[in-house]
Amino acid sequence: MSRKNSLAYEVPSNQTHLKVVNNKLKIRLDDLKTIQPLTENQKRFFEYYKNTSIIMVHGVAGSGKTYIALYKALEEVLEKNNSYKQIVIVRSAVPSREIGHLPGDEKEKTEVYQQPYEEICEDLFSRVDAFSRLQEQGSVKFMITSFVRGITLDDSIIIVDECQNMTDMEINSIVTRVGNRSKIIFCGDFRQTDLYKKHDMSGLKKFMIIADMMPSVKTIEFQVEDIVRSSLVKEYIIARMNYEENYVH
């Protein structure tokens, strides 16, 4: 199911304004839809975002975690004279920890993991090519954890998505890449991990304990009442949680 459906309330915008740069249509802040939070935890994220350099957004599926994180990051990075040069979206290659065996170059290997962000940007800008345009103009960069070592991310808004699918060392590698004047947002839910091998377990629970020891970290726990994707998803999540509480030992 697409993440973009009913994850936040859209305030109808005026006619889209496009600026031609080097014979291409450059995406600007004017093109971004105005989104308002739907739940108290979404509102809390909006409040934390501006003045917090590291935010943990954890909780149930369908609560709009990635959607609102990318929206606020786009809102800031597209603003003139902002202090950030780019958004960097990082996620793990699941089920394979290494993607070197896949055909193609780095761009071709990672394209399959970009689809959720392409859909979000298509919704936010009402353009099917929005994500690729943002990449071309240097506003957004997408990375797989396999390629983060050895780099430093200065002046960046870093979104670490689906972090329940990252090992402890992957999360460690990302956090230690954060440079000066950057902020980082973690989105995930340890109940949704795709990792099952003992030697390849999710590092999210450990990181959340570590994050609690860091005074600068703000953590928001999204609950069932924050599910906004659809009533069916909400009903299913509630039933699944009840099953796990009563039948799984």
Side-chain angles (χ1 to χ4, degrees):
M1 183 177 292
S2 170
R3 290 179 190 249
K4 68 185 180 182
N5 294 331
S6 303
L7 290 182
Y9 175 72
E10 172 192 341
V11 177
S13 60
N14 295 325
Q15 182 178 359
T16 299
H17 302 286
L18 299 174
K19 182 179 180 181
V20 178
V21 178
N22 297 328
N23 297 322
K24 293 185 178 180
L25 295 177
K26 183 174 182 178
I27 292 181
R28 302 186 303 165
L29 181 59
D30 290 344
D31 308 313
L32 181 66
K33 293 178 181 178
T34 300
I35 300 298
Q36 299 295 340
L38 279 178
T39 69
E40 285 302 312
N41 276 324
Q42 285 192 359
K43 181 179 179 181
R44 188 171 291 110
F45 173 79
F46 276 45
E47 292 169 350
Y48 284 164
Y49 177 84
K50 193 66 177 177
N51 300 310
T52 306
S53 60
I54 176 167
I55 307 174
M56 166 62 69
V57 185
H58 179 269
V60 296
S63 51
K65 301 183 296 295
T66 304
Y67 189 95
I68 60 176
L70 185 52
Y71 167 71
K72 292 301 290 183
L74 286 165
E75 186 181 52
E76 188 159 32
V77 84
L78 292 175
E79 185 179 3
K80 287 184 178 180
N81 304 316
N82 79 88
S83 58
Y84 299 103
K85 64 182 181 183
Q86 64 180 350
I87 299 166
V88 180
I89 303 170
V90 186
R91 66 179 292 173
S92 185
V94 177
S96 175
R97 201 36 83 239
E98 294 297 331
I99 62 173
H101 66 282
L102 296 177
D105 57 20
E106 178 182 340
K107 181 177 182 295
E108 293 169 324
K109 291 176 181 180
T110 58
E111 280 180 346
V112 65
Y113 299 100
Q114 294 181 176
Q115 185 176 352
Y117 318 107
E118 293 171 356
E119 291 184 352
I120 290 172
C121 288
E122 178 183 346
D123 183 62
L124 289 174
F125 293 99
S126 299
R127 291 181 57 176
V128 295
D129 66 340
F131 190 76
S132 60
R133 288 295 190 192
L134 289 163
Q135 287 180 304
E136 289 172 6
Q137 67 192 51
S139 299
V140 174
K141 183 174 183 178
F142 179 82
M143 299 182 67
I144 290 295
T145 52
S146 304
F147 300 112
V148 300
R149 290 184 179 179
I151 65 172
T152 300
L153 298 172
D154 292 324
D155 305 301
S156 300
I157 303 170
I158 306 157
I159 299 175
V160 186
D161 197 27
E162 303 290 351
C163 56
Q164 73 275 0
N165 290 328
M166 297 179 183
T167 64
D168 175 45
M169 288 312 300
E170 282 182 300
I171 294 176
N172 180 72
S173 294
I174 295 166
V175 175
T176 55
R177 298 302 97 200
V178 180
N180 294 313
R181 302 169 301 279
S182 289
K183 75 168 60 177
I184 185 166
I185 305 165
F186 291 88
C187 301
D189 177 10
F190 60 74
R191 290 161 293 204
Q192 298 182 62
T193 183
D194 295 325
L195 304 179
Y196 300 104
K197 298 177 182 178
K198 287 186 177 180
H199 68 276
D200 203 27
M201 293 302 289
S202 172
L204 180 56
K205 283 188 176 182
K206 177 178 177 180
F207 177 70
M208 291 179 71
I209 295 171
I210 294 171
D212 282 342
M213 303 177 189
M214 299 171 63
S216 61
V217 177
K218 295 289 187 182
T219 299
I220 306 172
E221 185 69 30
F222 281 72
Q223 307 288 348
V224 169
E225 57 267 23
D226 295 302
I227 296 173
V228 292
R229 179 165 292 149
S230 69
S231 58
L232 187 147
V233 170
K234 188 170 186 176
E235 181 181 354
Y236 168 74
I237 294 294
I238 292 171
R240 185 178 179 90
M241 292 174 73
N242 287 335
Y243 168 79
E244 292 175 348
E245 181 179 345
N246 294 302
Y247 295 98
V248 178
H249 300 286

